[in-house]
Amino acid sequence: MDNRIGICNDNAGWQILLKQEGIPFFVISPGVSLDPQEISCLVLPYQSEGVISSDIISYIDEGGAVLMEASRAADIFGVVTSRSRSRYRIPHNREIFDSLGLTDFISFRKLKLAAQCCEKIDDGLGIISFYYGRGRITVLPFSVEQEILNYSYCRRKFPGITAEFPSEIVARICKGKVRKIVRICLEDLIHWRELPFVQLWYYPKPVRSIFIFRLDTDFCKLEDARSMFAICQETGIRSTWFVDTVSSSRLENFYAKFTDQEVGLHCFRHLVFHDPGKDRENIERGISALVNAGINARGYAAPFGEWDPRLSEILQEKGFIYSSEFTNNYDDLPFFPVVDNNQQTILQIPIHPVSPGRLRRSHYNEEIMLEYYTRIIEQKIYWGDPVIFYHHPHHRLERLIEGIFRSVKDYKLDNWTMLDFAKWWHKRNSSEISLEISGNKIRIDAHPDFIRTASLRISSPYGETIVPASPEYDITQLKWQKQPVPEPLSGEEKVRRWHWRDWLHDYESYLGRRTK
């Protein structure tokens, strides 16, 4: 049988998420029969034009599995939905949603189904599941598209080690949390059908994670940059340096001489004006300075992490292939944003947005900072997410950076630059795989050149395995493993409560922008 997911709408948010996860899927055209032998799981967004309810009911009754959003479940099965005042949820079922933690929403709805067969997969997240005929339905209490395509931002506090929580102005929605919830629900439904869950892995090698270190050099003195570069050389870490371009001498005599480090554009003037003309001038002046120094930048990181969709048009025109801004997204896999129904061609690479400078502002000493980053590394490895930290060289903290690099080597993480990751993700995003399951055999169909440079994650109720891509696998020969659950950071039940420091940090941020 085919092992593809069928989605009942050309839904941009869902397609971003499924491509991130590397899950084979297709968009169901009107009139196409819904056969459980050809569709491993059916996805029903809140708008599902072209597929009539009676066909969906028949698919479920014949043993199919469906993941649907709340409003669609209300239309077909009478699931009662109501508005929720809560803008965040914390999972209760740690067995299923291990280490997920607090998740923010803008479209969350309370669900209720008057049926004895209804069960709550997670009471904290409000996800329900029930059976119909020989099939099974899981209902998400939020709209994937509304969450994934939301690009608003605000100050958020993050769980930490001490009683004072670090904060940063970031995307209102951590889209990576939404992605993980959806993947877990899809995985659960496909396992219920006694099928393996197969996805194109996030990295070409069968590794749990990779490490990328980003440096933003705004207001960095030459001696600060030299000190940071010396640490990278001594530890063998290749970093990505997003440079301000005010000093032509520093560009020509220092950054242009890098041989194993990546240099990207940060800014000429450290501001995002949100004015197309001024932003274009700022970027063009930065590019001109880099070119004059012999530097060909392919990546960009906006000042203050402020993402503006209009910047992408300029970056694409100038030959950039990626940018990285945490007001767009953070703690997630790369993706191509969709704005006004148009998919952008500039890849967005999210990072972990809490820098050492923000931890120091929250009165962390270097020992506690290192414990914080070690915990984040463990969480990233558990989920398979890339470990991407960032730092400002003018904050120094050399002993901390050396400690982070030692931890990376202890966990045996491959070290990439952001350009390495962007090139791989462009290749991965443009490649497709299809799956066929026959007995104990999994057959993979993809371009032979891509098969030789990719890996797959395969899971069953017994665990998971990450293996180099191959045209065929025998399920009985796969070795299943379960990852140890990392120790969570503290304070997730408190971080969304208002504190007077929130106003203080916002005022400091306002002053910082005024002086630039």
Side-chain angles (χ1 to χ4, degrees):
M1 65 169 291
D2 284 345
N3 194 4
R4 291 191 301 168
I5 287 170
I7 179 169
C8 297
N9 192 9
D10 190 10
N11 184 292
W14 273 96
Q15 292 201 38
I16 287 174
L17 187 153
L18 293 173
K19 278 186 170 290
Q20 282 181 300
E21 284 294 334
I23 301 171
F25 73 95
F26 71 105
V27 178
I28 296 173
S29 303
V32 171
S33 62
L34 306 181
D35 186 348
Q37 292 301 309
E38 296 178 356
I39 303 172
S40 58
C41 184
L42 192 63
V43 169
L44 293 176
Y46 67 99
Q47 292 179 333
S48 306
E49 296 90 352
V51 181
I52 60 177
S53 298
S54 59
D55 291 340
I56 296 170
I57 297 273
S58 296
Y59 167 83
I60 299 169
D61 196 38
E62 292 171 8
V66 173
L67 181 61
M68 61 171 55
E69 295 181 4
S71 58
R72 201 72 176 100
D75 293 340
I76 299 176
F77 294 104
V79 173
V80 178
T81 72
S82 59
R83 295 180 62 182
S84 172
R85 298 177 66 182
S86 175
R87 290 299 182 182
Y88 67 89
R89 309 292 290 186
I90 299 175
H92 291 175
N93 191 339
R94 296 293 182 177
E95 292 183 5
I96 297 180
F97 295 97
D98 288 332
S99 191
L100 181 70
L102 180 148
T103 303
D104 295 297
F105 296 100
I106 60 165
S107 63
F108 187 85
R109 307 280 294 179
K110 292 181 181 179
L111 305 180
K112 183 178 180 181
L113 180 66
Q116 293 182 348
C117 60
C118 175
E119 61 177 336
K120 290 186 177 180
I121 291 181
D122 187 278
D123 191 38
L125 291 175
I127 301 170
I128 66 171
S129 186
F130 59 95
Y131 298 91
Y132 187 94
R134 292 183 293 156
R136 184 179 170 203
I137 301 100
T138 295
V139 184
L140 298 173
F142 56 86
S143 162
V144 168
E145 181 159 271
Q146 289 182 45
E147 305 295 339
I148 297 295
L149 300 189
N150 182 277
Y151 300 121
S152 61
Y153 54 89
C154 61
R155 182 170 296 280
R156 292 293 197 201
K157 295 192 290 291
F158 291 81
I161 305 292
T162 69
E164 186 175 346
F165 305 116
S167 74
E168 182 57 273
I169 296 175
V170 296
R172 186 176 300 276
I173 303 301
C174 178
K175 301 170 181 62
K177 297 283 187 81
V178 176
R179 171 179 59 82
K180 287 162 187 165
I181 291 171
V182 171
R183 191 201 78 188
I184 290 169
C185 290
L186 286 171
E187 205 163 2
D188 177 60
L189 287 168
I190 288 174
H191 289 169
W192 173 81
R193 293 200 60 191
E194 300 182 348
L195 296 170
F197 181 81
V198 184
Q199 61 185 127
L200 181 61
W201 191 229
Y202 312 143
Y203 319 107
K205 294 181 181 179
V207 296
R208 291 292 316 174
S209 182
I210 62 171
F211 175 66
I212 296 173
F213 195 57
R214 165 181 153 180
L215 292 159
D216 292 4
T217 72
D218 44 288
F219 314 112
C220 165
K221 297 178 181 178
L222 181 58
E223 54 264 36
D224 300 331
R226 288 192 186 280
S227 176
M228 189 67 249
F229 179 67
I231 295 174
C232 291
Q233 293 295 98
E234 291 166 6
T235 55
I237 294 295
R238 300 164 60 235
S239 298
T240 295
W241 300 65
F242 291 108
V243 299
D244 71 88
T245 61
V246 173
S247 172
S248 59
S249 173
R250 193 180 309 164
L251 291 176
E252 295 172 6
N253 299 319
F254 184 62
Y255 296 124
K257 296 183 184 300
F258 285 173
T259 57
D260 61 349
Q261 311 279 304
E262 178 196 355
V263 178
L265 175 63
H266 194 35
C267 59
F268 182 81
R269 188 176 174 192
H270 195 258
L271 276 176
V272 174
F273 296 92
H274 302 286
D275 176 282
K278 291 181 179 179
D279 285 326
R280 174 177 288 276
E281 179 185 3
N282 198 24
I283 290 174
E284 288 179 343
R285 292 181 72 180
I287 293 172
S288 178
L290 290 176
V291 170
N292 290 338
I295 299 172
N296 178 27
R298 306 293 305 282
Y300 172 80
F304 301 108
E306 289 187 12
W307 182 76
D308 187 320
R310 292 171 296 189
L311 293 178
S312 294
E313 299 175 11
I314 305 171
L315 296 175
Q316 180 183 349
E317 176 187 319
K318 300 299 180 181
F320 288 79
I321 66 171
Y322 77 89
S323 70
S324 179
E325 290 83 29
F326 42 75
T327 60
N328 175 292
N329 195 9
Y330 62 93
D331 285 335
D332 198 6
L333 298 171
F335 69 107
F336 293 91
V338 172
V339 179
D340 296 330
N341 295 319
N342 294 314
Q343 185 178 73
Q344 300 194 335
T345 59
I346 299 296
L347 181 71
Q348 180 66 213
I349 302 182
I351 67 170
H352 182 65
V354 180
S355 70
R358 296 309 307 174
L359 292 179
R360 183 162 61 185
R361 184 64 187 84
S362 296
H363 305 101
Y364 282 41
N365 61 36
E366 290 190 43
E367 182 180 352
I368 298 176
M369 289 182 193
L370 183 56
E371 182 182 353
Y372 173 87
Y373 285 115
T374 301
R375 296 267 198 96
I376 297 295
I377 290 172
E378 291 171 349
Q379 290 178 6
K380 299 290 188 181
I381 291 173
Y382 176 80
W383 287 105
D385 288 349
V387 178
I388 310 180
F389 295 150
Y390 93 110
H391 179 50
H392 295 89
H394 73 273
H395 287 155
R396 304 300 289 229
L397 298 170
E398 289 91 343
R399 193 161 61 92
L400 168 67
I401 302 306
E402 290 171 348
I404 291 173
F405 290 173
R406 281 196 302 271
S407 293
V408 166
K409 291 183 180 295
D410 289 343
Y411 285 105
K412 297 180 171 58
L413 300 182
D414 289 347
N415 171 216
W416 291 28
T417 65
M418 297 192 88
L419 182 58
D420 295 334
F421 201 26
K423 288 180 177 178
W424 157 250
W425 207 266
H426 273 271
K427 180 179 179 180
R428 180 185 183 272
N429 195 73
S430 62
S431 303
E432 294 185 0
I433 64 171
S434 60
L435 310 173
E436 182 182 346
I437 304 209
S438 179
N440 290 325
K441 301 292 184 181
I442 303 174
R443 295 185 177 87
I444 310 295
D445 185 23
H447 193 283
D449 290 342
F450 185 69
I451 285 281
R452 287 191 289 269
T453 60
S455 295
L456 300 179
R457 175 181 176 269
I458 306 172
S459 74
S460 76
Y462 307 105
E464 65 177 3
T465 184
I466 303 171
V467 292
S470 174
E472 185 174 286
Y473 300 92
D474 186 335
I475 298 174
T476 63
Q477 300 301 309
L478 297 175
K479 297 181 180 179
W480 307 112
Q481 295 180 332
K482 291 191 175 182
Q483 293 296 312
V485 180
E487 182 181 356
L489 294 166
S490 62
E492 63 180 15
E493 71 284 352
K494 298 179 181 179
V495 293
R496 291 299 173 263
R497 298 176 188 172
W498 183 84
H499 192 277
W500 63 265
R501 288 194 184 94
D502 299 344
W503 275 357
L504 173 63
H505 293 162
D506 281 339
Y507 182 63
E508 291 172 341
S509 177
Y510 166 74
L511 289 181
R513 285 161 170 77
R514 281 193 64 185
T515 59
K516 306 302 184 288

